[in-house]
Amino acid sequence: MQLDNLYQEVILDHYKNPQNKELASDNDAQVHHVNPSCGDEVTLGVKLDGEKIASINWDGVGCSISQASTSIMTDLLIGKTLTEASEISEKFLHLMQSKGSEEGDADALEDAVALAGVSKYPARIKCALLGWMAFKDASVQAHSAKEN
Ligand code: ZN
């Protein structure tokens, strides 16, 4: 897989120094997602403060794309509202489905645009989306737990 050098560095930096990679014990919801085609695993917890995302914390193993993408996602979505997070996630999903034809909205996606090149490699898209899907699942569960 060939990615732009600068982007490669962003991904490697998040892979080597993952953000928020320490599971908390007081999450509103926690999920475990796997990507069997690559062997990636992510356990991810979400804590809400009303509509706002107070914490996303995780642990995981797998390829650099899956681990870096999860780290980038936590950096990006913590502090956002659930609505904002879902808009950003939609943009990222759209970028991953672009087959390399889009660069991504850097204002909204920040470091996540470094993963734009992954969209050219269908086998790796699930790697990049693993943490985002885990977040979506956990945030829905956290939200409904709060309402009950
Ligand atoms: Zn992977």
Side-chain angles (χ1 to χ4, degrees):
M1 187 160 62
Q2 292 204 321
L3 297 175
D4 180 285
N5 282 342
L6 176 69
Y7 283 178
Q8 194 104 41
E9 266 178 44
V10 173
I11 293 166
L12 277 180
D13 189 45
H14 275 276
Y15 181 57
K16 286 179 188 159
N17 305 294
Q19 303 298 300
N20 309 297
K21 194 178 177 184
E22 187 175 4
L23 279 172
S25 55
D26 60 344
N27 289 314
D28 295 321
Q30 187 172 302
V31 300
H32 181 70
H33 280 214
V34 297
N35 172 23
S37 60
C38 181
D40 309 317
E41 295 190 29
V42 163
T43 303
L44 182 143
V46 169
K47 191 173 166 61
L48 298 177
D49 176 10
E51 289 294 310
K52 210 169 149 189
I53 299 155
S55 170
I56 307 172
N57 50 85
W58 65 289
D59 197 9
V61 290
C63 70
S64 58
I65 299 292
S66 68
Q67 304 300 300
S69 185
T70 304
S71 170
I72 289 169
M73 179 274 298
T74 63
D75 253 1
L76 199 53
L77 301 188
I78 292 170
K80 301 285 198 297
T81 65
L82 287 170
T83 309
E84 288 166 341
S86 126
E87 284 166 5
I88 293 167
S89 301
E90 281 301 314
K91 284 191 182 192
F92 185 70
L93 182 62
H94 181 78
L95 179 63
M96 285 303 107
Q97 291 167 338
S98 73
K99 300 185 170 73
S101 67
E102 289 182 26
E103 293 177 359
D105 176 355
D107 289 336
L109 293 174
E110 299 180 23
D111 276 0
V113 297
L115 293 152
V118 174
S119 70
K120 285 182 278 188
Y121 303 87
R124 308 306 302 278
I125 295 172
K126 279 186 187 162
C127 302
L129 288 176
L130 179 67
W132 296 72
M133 293 303 164
F135 166 74
K136 192 176 182 183
D137 187 8
S139 66
V140 168
Q141 288 186 31
H143 196 234
S144 57
K146 289 266 172 173
E147 278 178 345
N148 291 335

